[in-house]
Every structure is written in structure tokens, then in C-alpha cells.
Amino acid sequence: MNGVSHWQATPYTLPLGVGAGVFVALGVYLLRRRAEQRLVPGTVLGALLLFASGLWMGMYALELSRTDFATKVLLNQLGYVGIAPIPLLWFAYVMRHTDIADLPRSVWAALGTVPVVVIGLVLTNDWHNLIWRHLWISMDSGYAILVNDHGIAFLGYIVYAYVLIVIGLAVLARELVRADGIYRKQTAGLLVGGAVPAIAGVVYVLGASPVTGLNLPTLAFSFASGTVAWSVFRHRLFTLVPVAWESAVESMDIAAFVLDANDTILAANSAGETCLRVDLDDAYGRSASAVLPDTLVATLGDETDSEVTLTCDGDTKDVLVETNALGEDAVAAGRLLLVRDITDRKERERQLERQNERLDEFASVVSHDLRNPLTVARGYLELAHETGEDAHFERIEESHDRMEAIIEDLLTLARRGETLSDLSPVDIATVAREAWDGVAAENVTADVAVDRTIMADRGRLRQLFENLFRNSAEHGVTDGGSSVTVVVDTLDDGFYVEDDGPGIPEADREQVFERGYTTHDDGTGLGLPIVHSVAEAHGWSVDLTTGEAGGARFEFRGVEDVQDTATPEITTD
């Protein structure tokens, strides 16, 4: 009728509208968060449940706001699009959230037909009156409220709905007793959000509503919307990793992956994304075996932490894989996989192992090589006491010199190891000549022709040359007194030291760098190992070959000129 308003204001419209808006907003929020890989797969069910509830509440808010019968009936019918699937969505989400064994597809299909049939019956009720036998408007409360006189099909739907709702509430109640910490709070939020509307529904169906025709379950949902919203934001409801994922895990350098009970990838932080074999968007919801490196997948069945070698983003590293249960004996089953880079630690362990090996070698040298000249010295000391001949004292002195040489080389290796302490631009020729001045021996000459300035530890480089020069003097000069020339010259990527002595047999070349190996009666077997350790500390390679004149030739490669190198990496032990 013209001039007559078909709208009314009721005290129930605002809470219903606000509740509907909250549920829809939460549904959108959860779906957006799902796209950010932070939620369990059941999030879609949770979002659909929120959307359905929001639709029902929104339609009922509009229905209460209208006064004309036809519009109220239409809005009542549209509300069933949200009402009908709510029990099934609730039950499905609880089953998924509590990780209870899934039902067969045939059972889900049968349960899913009920909401479809109900919606069909609602839209065609004028033909059969199975949902409502009669509809009218009551003004008892001072507002125009549509009253539903329900039919047999509606009562059947109520039985169906409450069977699912009660089972879901029972499951949540059981899990509430078992759960602890944040999962207990999540379960409590779900339990309250489901129990309040269910109780209000019983009051409504029994006709005990204090306001004739008022749909109490819908109003109860407006209250539950606040509880659910609080639990979503306060207790991270619908998430498997509620405890500050962003602040505690996302910002970590440690690669982190969240897996459900079936080893499905649910989330990964930025560090973890580099280890995936596919893009994170493609990895979400897929089996770990399909997207994680095989070395990580192999550790999933381990009950203890595992150390493996892993290649992430082209970088090979040693890692420690830790598996932490999420929600054990609680409502959310899954695990957090942490992959820690332990490359530095493993390198320190390897360095310590090398140090221990050197200590063993030192102990061997002390117990064997030092004992020999000491025994000789004691023997000649006894002879000297008996005879007083000077020749015996000379032999004692020779034994002492031998022990001093061994001790000196041992101290060099023990104190310096593979450590560089003072890197600076060094002219190779200058250091080589300084080393020669300290080693110069009879029948040995040095020809230093190298022309190269490098970044090196000057003291360690001098040790390298001194030991090479001594090696040439000890092994190059024969008993006949033949002379030996030692040449130091340039290679394209380094330098070499070569003599024209008898050389080193090819069969012995792999052993000469081993500590304690020597073919000379007075050798300590430590000189060439010192050469090798100095080269290794600088990052150079050293190869032993035959020189042009048949002598020993030591080639040092990987040596960069000062102008070609930035701050060099220092190898420490």
C-alpha cells in the first residue's frame, strides 16, 4: 500500500547483522590466510561453516527488518541455503580438526544429500507443506515476526542435524580433556561456538522461546560469533601452528616446515622455501616426498635428530634435521620440521679431528723418532764415561742436534697448524731470498727468478721456502759432494720450486707429505708436511712432479696476485 513502510527496527536486528558480518569477515580472513600457507587443510571447511552461518544470520536479520509477509517468507527460504548445510559442515570440520579416521565417501555422499533435499523442499514447500504446514506473522512482541508451524520433513532434518551436532560436541569434549596448552583453548572455542546455538535450537524446537516465533539459534550464533572471533585471533583457531608462527618461525634463518599427520606440507618459512623442489604455492597440500629433497624425506621416519648433507638453492651444507611433534595427544596432529645449518660446526669438528690426528702423529714421533737419538746419546754417554774419548761426545752432540731438529719441526706444526695470522702483500722473491739466507748450505745455490706479489702470511711463506730448501740440501747433495741448484720461478697461476738433484721416485710422491715419512737418515719427516700445511692454509694446491733436469719440482697453484684478489679467506684450525 502506497505510503506504508515495510521496514521495522527490532532489538535483534543489530546483533544479528553484526554477527553475520563477523562470520563472513572471518571466513574471508581464513581463506586469505590459507593462501599464505599458514592453515591446516580443514580451513576450507571452517570458512564454509562461517559463510553458511553468516548467510543464515544475515537473511534472518533482513527478515526481522521487513514487515510484509511475502518478503519475510522469501528471506526465510533463502536463509535455509545457509541453515541446511551447517550441521554437516560442523561435523566434517570437527572430524578433520580432531584427525579422526575419515568416513567412507559413500557415507559422506549420503550425509550430503540431506541438505540438498532440504533446500529443495524449502523452495517447493507450497506444493507439499513438508517443511512448514503454516506460516503467519505474530505481533505479540510488538514487532512483526514470522512464525513457522513446521512439518514432518523439518522434524526429520532436526533429528539429522542434532545427531551430527551432538557427535561433534562429544568428540570435542573428549579432546578438551586430552588437550593442553593452546590446543585446549582452541578446542574450548569450538566447543562453546557449537554448544550455545545447539542449546538455543532445542529451546526453539520445543516451542519454549520467550518471544513467539523468534529464531533463538540464529541469535545464539550472534553470541557465538564473538567467541569464535576471539578464539581465531587470540588462540589461532583453525591453525596448526598457533604459537606466533610469524614472530618465532617465519623470521628464523632455520628452514622450517609444518607437516600434518600424513606428511602433507602445510607451511614453510622463507628459509625453508629455498629447499623445496617446487614453488611453495605448488607445494602446499602435497606430500613431503613430492616436494622436499630426498635427504630430508629419508629422515621423516627417524625418531631422533638426523645429520645429513643437503643442497638448497645450489648451496651444499651440513644440516641437523629436528622433528618436533605438534599437538601430541591433542586436537591438532602434525609436526614441525626444523633444518639447522651446522656446516660451521661440522667444519670445526673436522678441524678438531685433524688436530687429533696430528696429536697422534706427534705422539708417534715423540715416542719413536725422539727415542732413537735419545737412546743413541745415552749409549755414547756410557762409552764416554768409560773411555773419555772425544769422539763419543761428538756423537752425543749429533744426537742432541737431531732431537732439537725434530722438536723444532713438531713445535712448528703444533703451534701453527693450518692457521694464518697476518695476511699482507708479500713479494715472493724477497721472502724466498730471506729463507735462503737462513738455510744456505754447502754445494747448494739458489736462483730466485720469481716475480709476483701475493697476499700471504709472510712468516708461514718463509717456513715453506726454508723447508723446501732444506729438502733439496738434504736429498739433492750426494756423498760425492755434487752441487745442486734450486730455482724459484713463476707459473701462470702460481710459482714453483725446483732443484736439479736426483729427484723423488714417483712411487714415493704420495707419501712425502705424510708426517714422519723420510728417506734420509737425519730427516725428521716433518718438513714437507709443513710445506703442505702452509699451502693448504693459503688455499693453494701443491703438486710434486719431475723438474726439467730430473730433480724434484714443487708446483703451487691457485695463487692470486694482490691486484686480482679482495680480502682473502683465512683458513683456520
Side-chain angles (χ1 to χ4, degrees):
M1 183 170 56
N2 294 334
V4 177
S5 173
H6 295 291
W7 294 93
Q8 65 178 354
T10 74
Y12 317 113
T13 304
L14 182 60
L16 284 169
V18 171
V22 168
F23 272 11
V24 172
L26 287 178
V28 172
Y29 168 79
L30 294 180
L31 290 181
R32 291 186 62 182
R33 295 284 287 172
R34 180 180 184 274
E36 297 172 6
Q37 323 303 332
R38 297 294 177 265
L39 307 175
V40 298
T43 301
V44 175
L45 287 172
L48 290 176
L49 177 61
L50 292 172
F51 286 140
S53 303
L55 175 62
W56 179 21
M57 294 166 64
M59 291 299 101
Y60 192 57
L62 289 174
E63 178 189 324
L64 287 177
S65 299
R66 296 291 297 186
T67 59
D68 55 305
F69 180 81
T71 304
K72 280 182 174 290
V73 172
L74 176 61
L75 292 171
N76 190 21
Q77 290 176 315
L78 292 178
Y80 267 83
V81 176
I83 297 171
I86 284 177
L88 180 59
L89 290 173
W90 161 262
F91 178 74
Y93 181 76
V94 169
M95 295 287 285
R96 181 66 183 87
H97 186 73
T98 54
D99 202 33
I100 294 178
D102 204 2
L103 299 176
R105 290 187 178 181
S106 58
V107 175
W108 286 115
L111 292 174
T113 58
V114 175
V116 176
V117 172
V118 168
I119 293 174
L121 291 175
V122 166
L123 297 178
T124 60
N125 188 74
D126 288 343
W127 301 346
H128 46 70
N129 295 322
L130 292 176
I131 297 295
W132 308 292
R133 290 178 300 182
H134 182 51
L135 294 170
W136 74 93
I137 293 179
S138 169
M139 298 295 296
D140 293 347
S141 62
Y143 309 103
I145 297 179
L146 185 67
V147 180
N148 299 268
D149 182 7
H150 295 108
I152 187 65
F154 176 82
L155 296 179
Y157 168 74
I158 289 296
V159 172
Y160 158 88
Y162 271 86
V163 167
L164 297 181
I165 291 172
V166 169
I167 292 175
L169 291 174
V171 169
L172 287 177
R174 184 196 66 176
E175 293 295 338
L176 183 65
V177 174
R178 299 170 53 193
D180 55 14
I182 195 70
Y183 300 106
R184 188 182 188 90
K185 296 174 182 177
Q186 286 183 334
T187 305
L190 279 174
L191 192 59
V192 171
V196 172
I199 294 172
V202 172
V203 175
Y204 173 71
V205 172
L206 295 177
S209 175
V211 179
T212 303
L214 187 63
N215 195 322
L216 290 181
T218 318
L219 287 173
F221 263 110
S222 67
F223 167 80
S225 67
T227 303
V228 173
W230 170 256
S231 190
V232 166
F233 292 107
R234 182 66 178 86
H235 302 141
R236 295 295 189 265
L237 183 61
F238 303 114
T239 67
L240 181 63
V241 193
V243 187
W245 168 272
E246 291 82 359
S247 60
V249 177
E250 183 65 29
S251 61
M252 292 193 309
D253 293 333
I254 302 171
F257 305 93
V258 177
L259 289 72
D260 68 4
N262 299 316
D263 287 340
T264 300
I265 297 293
L266 304 179
N269 66 352
S270 299
E273 290 185 39
T274 62
C275 295
L276 294 173
R277 291 191 289 182
V278 298
D279 291 338
L280 183 57
D281 290 341
D282 297 328
Y284 180 65
R286 294 178 60 184
S287 170
S289 61
V291 298
L292 291 180
D294 293 339
T295 49
L296 281 186
V297 175
T299 67
L300 294 180
D302 296 343
E303 296 181 359
T304 58
D305 297 344
S306 305
E307 294 183 3
V308 298
T309 300
L310 182 65
T311 299
C312 290
D313 203 19
D315 184 20
T316 301
K317 60 186 74 174
D318 295 307
V319 299
L320 174 65
V321 183
E322 302 175 13
T323 302
N324 302 281
L326 295 176
E328 184 177 359
D329 293 331
V331 299
R335 49 182 163 172
L336 175 64
L337 198 68
L338 297 178
V339 183
R340 302 177 183 272
D341 186 349
I342 58 171
T343 304
D344 291 342
R345 193 194 81 187
K346 295 297 290 185
E347 179 58 30
R348 288 193 295 271
E349 290 177 357
R350 286 188 284 266
Q351 290 171 353
L352 181 59
E353 185 177 347
R354 290 195 295 269
Q355 286 179 331
N356 290 336
E357 290 174 356
R358 281 202 298 275
L359 287 175
D360 290 340
E361 292 169 354
F362 296 160
S364 176
V365 171
V366 171
S367 64
H368 181 269
D369 291 17
L370 278 177
R371 183 173 294 168
N372 288 339
L374 182 60
T375 301
V376 171
R378 284 176 175 172
Y380 279 103
L381 181 61
E382 292 178 2
L383 291 174
H385 283 308
E386 294 174 1
T387 65
E389 293 181 7
D390 291 340
H392 297 320
F393 289 105
E394 291 176 0
R395 297 300 298 271
I396 293 173
E397 185 177 1
E398 290 175 1
S399 295
H400 286 168
D401 290 343
R402 165 73 172 157
M403 285 187 286
E404 183 178 0
I406 293 175
I407 292 171
E408 202 172 297
D409 283 346
L410 279 173
L411 288 175
T412 297
L413 286 173
R415 290 174 178 171
R416 304 300 293 273
E418 297 173 358
T419 303
L420 301 180
S421 59
D422 185 16
L423 291 173
S424 60
V426 173
D427 178 62
I428 296 179
T430 300
V431 176
R433 292 190 182 98
E434 291 175 354
W436 174 249
D437 290 340
V439 177
E442 293 183 4
N443 299 326
V444 182
T445 58
D447 179 10
V448 180
V450 63
D451 182 15
R452 174 160 279 166
T453 300
I454 62 174
M455 206 72 164
D457 184 320
R458 188 184 189 93
R460 299 303 307 281
L461 184 59
R462 176 168 175 166
Q463 286 178 348
L464 180 146
F465 283 119
E466 286 175 346
N467 281 280
L468 287 174
F469 294 154
R470 288 196 191 103
N471 185 75
S472 295
E474 292 174 358
H475 299 277
V477 179
T478 62
D479 293 339
S482 61
S483 62
V484 173
T485 300
V486 182
V487 176
V488 182
D489 208 344
T490 305
L491 294 172
D492 290 341
D493 60 345
F495 61 93
Y496 68 88
V497 178
E498 173 184 314
D499 63 47
D500 57 0
I504 299 175
E506 188 171 352
D508 296 335
R509 291 177 185 173
E510 292 185 2
Q511 298 174 290
V512 296
F513 293 116
E514 296 178 2
R515 295 181 177 93
Y517 179 81
T518 180
T519 59
H520 195 278
D521 292 340
D522 295 327
T524 65
L526 299 175
L528 292 182
I530 291 175
V531 170
H532 186 272
S533 70
V534 173
E536 189 177 61
H538 283 87
W540 308 334
S541 66
V542 54
D543 295 310
L544 172 56
T545 64
T546 301
E548 294 181 2
R553 177 184 172 107
F554 296 86
E555 296 182 348
F556 299 88
R557 299 184 181 276
V559 181
E560 297 182 350
D561 293 340
V562 170
Q563 60 267 27
D564 296 332
T565 181
T567 302
E569 181 178 352
I570 300 177
T571 304
T572 59
D573 199 11

